[in-house]
Amino acid sequence: MQPSELASDYYLHNFQRLVNSVEQHYLDLLNQNETNWLKAFRQLSPPARMLYVRLLSRKGLYYRKDKLHYPEIGELTQPARELAKAGFIEINNPDWCTEHIAPLFTKPELLTLFPALNKHKSAHKAALLEKLYQLSPKLEEFGQTIFYICHQQNLEIFLLLFFGNSHQDLSQFVLSDLGLHQFESYPVDKETRLFQSREQIESWLVLTSLADDYWNAKEQKNHDAIVNMVSNIPTRFEWPPLERKRQKLINHVARDLERFGMQEEALTLFRQSELPPSRERQIRILDKLGIQDEALKLTLKLKNTPLTEEESEVALTLEKKLSRQLKRPFSPAEKTSFNENHLVLPHTEQRVELAVADYYTVQGWTVFYLENSLICGLFGLAFWDIIFSPIPGAFLNPYQRSPRDMFTPEFRTQRAEMIAERLEHISSGSWCNWLEIYNQKEGLSNDWVNWHILSKDIIELTVNSIPCSTLSRLFKRMLFDPRNNRSGFPDLIMFKDNQYQWVEVKGPGDKLQSNQARWLKMFNQSDIPACIDFITWHKD
């Protein structure tokens, strides 16, 4: 598909789509400042609106007028004056701090503007700026018109309400306008909105700010700042999306406290989170503190009620270790032995997976190098209508590849009845609409379906070769932990005479990863044909 051409003022239209949608769905949650801002924006002339959106979309708050070039707007003086008069920007405010203005200039420009700095011209720009701050220059000495953008926090709120997160921005509209992304149709209205109160919005923004502070402190290796964050983390929220966001932050901060040697403080913080890997970290800290009885008790709970595949796996390791320490009987799980082949192949320039595919092709197999794309794609087709079902809070805007809770336990629990029925119908063979869904939805964005790789021929060959009950078992395992179980499938799948087999390829020095081992173990337990091929290159 050829990308569409964008109109010269595309960004203004996209911004207006954003604010119109938020106003339609969240007007009752906007405060007076935000509604006044929106009303005043609509009263601006088109050039002023275009300039304001351009500035809002840039990084930072301060801009040099001489560095701004927007041909579709033309000369910026009059639109800028209009924005300043309406309170949308400030121009050359003498009260601005030098620390905000000076970084807008290059080192050569600063040396030219301030000759007193020439004796420090060999210094890095950061050191040069420190010298400049000591001179306390006035704004007019910089000789440029500077703009300061006002009300940027309003855009942050509108983006949050539209996307339901704090990382997407107006660029998403561009991808859609260009035709690079096409999306499923689903209801987006006030009834399915995410936020139900202004308090939820404010709390979300507080958590986002705390998370930003955390990552900045981590990048700067500022341990004290991370430690001091603990007292700023809010208490538990009743609303699940907020509490999940809070627990993610808790896990990050607590893990750093653990690394800093603050074991008891980390344990206290981890106990406020149920999100993995909180329970694992608690067990390891308890073990370090010599509280093995409590550590084992939590380990057995982890073993019996894992939230992810990794929790299930690590619980066995921890149980073995703690049982040994406490001199408690422990029966290790029977070690899984995989079907292994050791092949010696001629060394070529192609990938090792393709070399193995050629090896089996010569033997009459039809081989595809698909890794995770095959089963993930079939899952996306089989559960398409369930994935895009209008659960409240799942779809907030027209640009989603999946619901907000797709990779959380809530996806399964909130759609339990629909999922159970679909799994049963797939297992019995009464649901086999793979190609029908493919033809209806081809090209639409779905986090599970890679249209560039998944073809109708591959689908037909797969569903005619792999038993329906096997596909249902694979999907059921994926649904338990969709974030982790969507990866780890063997590299190749091959077909011959109504038979099929998966092949995990390991080149010289390559080892089996834990998620790959988990899938191969499940294949063994379910009598699904699979093997690991260890490759050695033939020496001429």
Side-chain angles (χ1 to χ4, degrees):
M1 179 188 299
Q2 283 289 101
S4 306
E5 281 195 23
L6 295 174
S8 61
D9 59 349
Y10 70 91
Y11 53 90
L12 177 59
H13 292 291
N14 289 340
F15 179 80
Q16 290 174 160
R17 284 157 62 189
L18 167 76
V19 296
N20 290 345
S21 175
V22 170
E23 186 179 40
Q24 180 182 356
H25 302 147
Y26 285 105
L27 181 60
D28 58 315
L29 301 189
L30 298 179
N31 62 29
Q32 193 65 49
N33 173 61
E34 290 151 3
T35 54
N36 289 344
W37 173 74
L38 196 52
K39 181 179 179 181
F41 174 80
R42 288 171 172 153
Q43 293 173 348
L44 296 171
S45 67
R49 290 202 300 268
M50 291 162 69
L51 177 57
Y52 187 61
V53 175
R54 280 291 198 187
L55 296 177
L56 271 181
S57 303
R58 296 173 70 102
K59 290 184 179 181
L61 296 173
Y62 295 86
Y63 314 103
R64 286 170 54 174
K65 179 175 178 286
D66 65 314
K67 297 294 184 181
L68 302 175
H69 303 287
Y70 303 123
E72 76 281 4
I73 301 176
E75 219 291 313
L76 301 182
T77 300
Q78 186 54 41
R81 287 175 179 167
E82 183 180 349
L83 289 176
K85 184 178 180 180
F88 283 87
I89 67 171
E90 294 179 11
I91 303 176
N92 284 8
N93 186 333
D95 295 330
W96 290 337
C97 295
T98 306
E99 285 82 353
H100 293 145
I101 305 305
L104 301 177
F105 294 79
T106 65
K107 181 180 174 181
E109 286 176 327
L110 292 173
L111 291 171
T112 301
L113 288 168
F114 304 98
L117 296 176
N118 277 286
K119 57 185 176 183
H120 308 291
K121 63 182 178 182
S122 60
H124 292 297
K125 184 180 177 181
L128 195 71
L129 287 173
E130 290 299 325
K131 297 296 182 182
L132 176 62
Y133 300 152
Q134 294 173 15
L135 299 176
S136 301
K138 295 182 179 179
L139 180 63
E140 57 263 27
E141 293 181 65
F142 288 92
Q144 293 292 342
T145 300
I146 310 294
F147 297 157
Y148 169 78
I149 187 77
C150 302
H151 311 299
Q152 195 176 53
Q153 74 279 2
N154 289 344
L155 176 62
E156 294 172 7
I157 289 174
F158 275 66
L159 288 172
L160 171 61
L161 294 177
F162 186 84
F163 289 113
N165 59 63
S166 301
H167 59 264
Q168 281 181 283
D169 55 31
L170 291 167
S171 62
Q172 178 61 72
F173 291 88
V174 179
L175 294 173
S176 179
D177 290 343
L178 288 171
L180 299 176
H181 291 173
Q182 300 178 65
F183 297 89
E184 177 62 281
S185 297
Y186 40 76
V188 177
D189 50 40
K190 192 172 181 178
E191 284 64 42
T192 61
R193 71 185 188 180
L194 176 62
F195 296 95
Q196 298 301 322
S197 71
R198 183 70 193 195
E199 183 181 7
Q200 290 175 348
I201 298 172
E202 299 295 345
S203 296
W204 193 285
L205 293 172
V206 167
L207 283 174
T208 298
S209 178
L210 282 173
D212 290 342
D213 291 344
Y214 166 77
W215 289 111
N216 289 334
K218 191 171 182 67
E219 184 179 354
Q220 297 167 13
K221 299 182 180 179
N222 188 338
H223 293 184
D224 289 341
I226 293 175
V227 172
N228 292 334
M229 284 189 66
V230 176
S231 60
N232 295 326
I233 296 176
T235 55
R236 187 178 185 88
F237 293 105
E238 292 301 319
W239 189 44
L242 263 180
E243 180 55 21
R244 187 174 187 85
K245 186 175 177 67
R246 187 184 82 100
Q247 291 186 23
K248 284 182 180 179
L249 177 60
I250 283 174
N251 282 358
H252 287 307
V253 176
R255 186 70 178 100
D256 277 339
L257 296 184
E258 185 183 355
R259 293 187 179 106
F260 300 161
M262 303 173 64
Q263 305 299 325
E264 294 182 357
E265 293 85 349
L267 180 61
T268 299
L269 198 55
F270 271 129
R271 282 173 169 161
Q272 297 184 47
S273 170
E274 293 92 36
L275 284 184
S278 172
R279 291 188 292 178
E280 176 196 347
R281 299 318 313 170
Q282 291 178 55
I283 294 165
R284 294 190 184 278
I285 293 172
L286 288 166
D287 183 27
K288 286 181 183 178
L289 295 174
I291 314 175
Q292 277 79 28
D293 286 334
E294 189 176 341
L296 179 59
K297 183 179 179 181
L298 185 55
T299 298
L300 295 177
K301 184 177 180 181
L302 186 69
K303 176 183 175 181
N304 294 328
T305 58
L307 298 178
T308 67
E309 296 289 351
E310 289 182 356
E311 281 199 330
S312 181
E313 192 171 74
V314 78
L316 296 176
T317 302
L318 292 169
E319 183 188 7
K320 179 181 178 180
K321 178 185 178 184
L322 292 166
S323 296
R324 185 174 63 249
Q325 290 175 322
L326 294 169
K327 296 181 172 52
R328 172 186 178 273
F330 173 74
S331 300
E334 185 177 339
K335 190 173 182 180
T336 304
S337 58
F338 300 123
N339 181 17
E340 297 182 5
N341 298 317
H342 294 265
L343 305 180
V344 180
L345 301 178
H347 194 217
T348 65
E349 295 299 321
Q350 64 181 342
R351 293 181 61 98
V352 63
E353 295 88 355
L354 297 177
V356 175
D358 288 346
Y359 168 82
Y360 284 111
T361 299
V362 171
Q363 299 179 31
W365 289 89
T366 300
V367 188
F368 301 97
Y369 176 23
L370 299 173
E371 295 183 297
N372 306 307
S373 297
L374 175 60
I375 297 302
C376 285
L378 291 177
F379 175 89
L381 295 175
F383 292 88
W384 192 290
D385 56 330
I386 298 174
I387 289 171
F388 290 101
S389 58
I391 301 294
F395 294 98
L396 312 180
N397 61 77
Y399 308 111
Q400 292 182 224
R401 297 165 55 89
S402 61
R404 290 188 72 258
D405 62 354
M406 181 74 253
F407 300 107
T408 71
E410 286 75 26
F411 175 81
R412 184 177 71 253
T413 57
Q414 291 203 84
R415 302 159 182 82
E417 191 173 325
M418 291 187 288
I419 289 172
E421 183 179 13
R422 182 59 47 82
L423 286 171
E424 181 183 342
H425 289 169
I426 292 171
S427 183
S428 67
S430 60
W431 191 98
C432 52
N433 304 335
W434 316 95
L435 295 181
E436 180 182 340
I437 301 298
Y438 188 102
N439 290 329
Q440 289 176 4
K441 308 298 183 181
E442 186 175 5
L444 297 182
S445 296
N446 181 322
D447 271 325
W448 293 90
V449 184
N450 185 337
W451 297 109
H452 299 294
I453 294 178
L454 197 66
S455 70
K456 287 187 277 190
D457 289 343
I458 291 173
I459 293 172
E460 195 163 14
L461 190 54
T462 302
V463 298
N464 288 335
S465 303
I466 301 180
C468 300
S469 57
T470 297
L471 290 173
S472 181
R473 284 199 297 274
L474 295 176
F475 296 154
K476 187 174 182 179
R477 183 174 186 271
M478 293 170 75
L479 283 160
F480 168 67
D481 184 5
R483 183 176 299 281
N484 292 302
N485 286 347
R486 68 192 309 227
S487 63
F489 287 96
D491 301 295
L492 309 177
I493 188 166
M494 54 190 194
F495 305 91
K496 182 171 69 172
D497 301 331
N498 294 322
Q499 301 176 53
Y500 74 97
Q501 179 157 310
W502 263 291
V503 181
E504 177 61 40
V505 178
K506 292 299 173 188
D510 196 5
K511 294 181 179 180
L512 201 63
Q513 298 175 14
S514 57
N515 60 345
Q516 296 169 340
R518 289 194 290 264
W519 271 116
L520 289 170
K521 182 179 180 181
M522 186 268 187
F523 287 175
N524 268 9
Q525 294 169 343
S526 304
D527 294 322
I528 297 173
C531 66
I532 310 173
D533 284 5
F534 292 96
I535 310 305
T536 302
W537 296 122
H538 180 267
K539 295 182 180 179
D540 296 332

